[in-house]
Amino acid sequence: MNYEKIHGISTVNGIISRYAPTNENNTDAYIDEVCDELSVFSHWPISVEKRLPELVKAIIKHENGLQPYSDDLIDRGLNMIG
């Protein structure tokens, strides 16, 4: 959420480019996969706070190849940062 609040980054392109830079990742593929999961275009601004559960699930899926965690578990984890 700090990407949006502190740095003004509110697009999937901006978030993933910062989180997973090209020197460590295939950032374009990462962006495409997260955009597909969120049904947005890479440069569309999103409300990170409102879409955070979906964003977290998409990142987990990309990083692990699957997303095995329940919505409840993700929500409980996100509530811990609130």
Side-chain angles (χ1 to χ4, degrees), residues 2-15:
N2 283 341
Y3 284 15
E4 183 174 38
K5 289 180 182 177
I6 295 172
H7 303 287
I9 299 171
S10 63
T11 65
V12 171
N13 182 71
I15 293 164

Side-chain angles (χ1 to χ4, degrees), residues 5 11 13 17-18 35 40 43 47 50 57 69:
K5 289 180 182 177
T11 65
N13 182 71
S17 294
R18 182 177 172 106
C35 284
V40 299
H43 288 85
S47 169
K50 289 181 183 175
K57 288 188 254 184
Y69 306 108

Side-chain angles (χ1 to χ4, degrees), residues 4-48:
E4 183 174 38
K5 289 180 182 177
I6 295 172
H7 303 287
I9 299 171
S10 63
T11 65
V12 171
N13 182 71
I15 293 164
I16 300 303
S17 294
R18 182 177 172 106
Y19 176 77
T22 56
N23 63 321
E24 299 174 2
N25 299 275
N26 181 344
T27 305
D28 290 336
Y30 205 146
I31 290 166
D32 289 345
E33 186 173 334
V34 172
C35 284
D36 286 347
E37 291 293 321
L38 272 62
S39 299
V40 299
F41 291 108
S42 64
H43 288 85
W44 279 7
I46 62 170
S47 169
V48 175

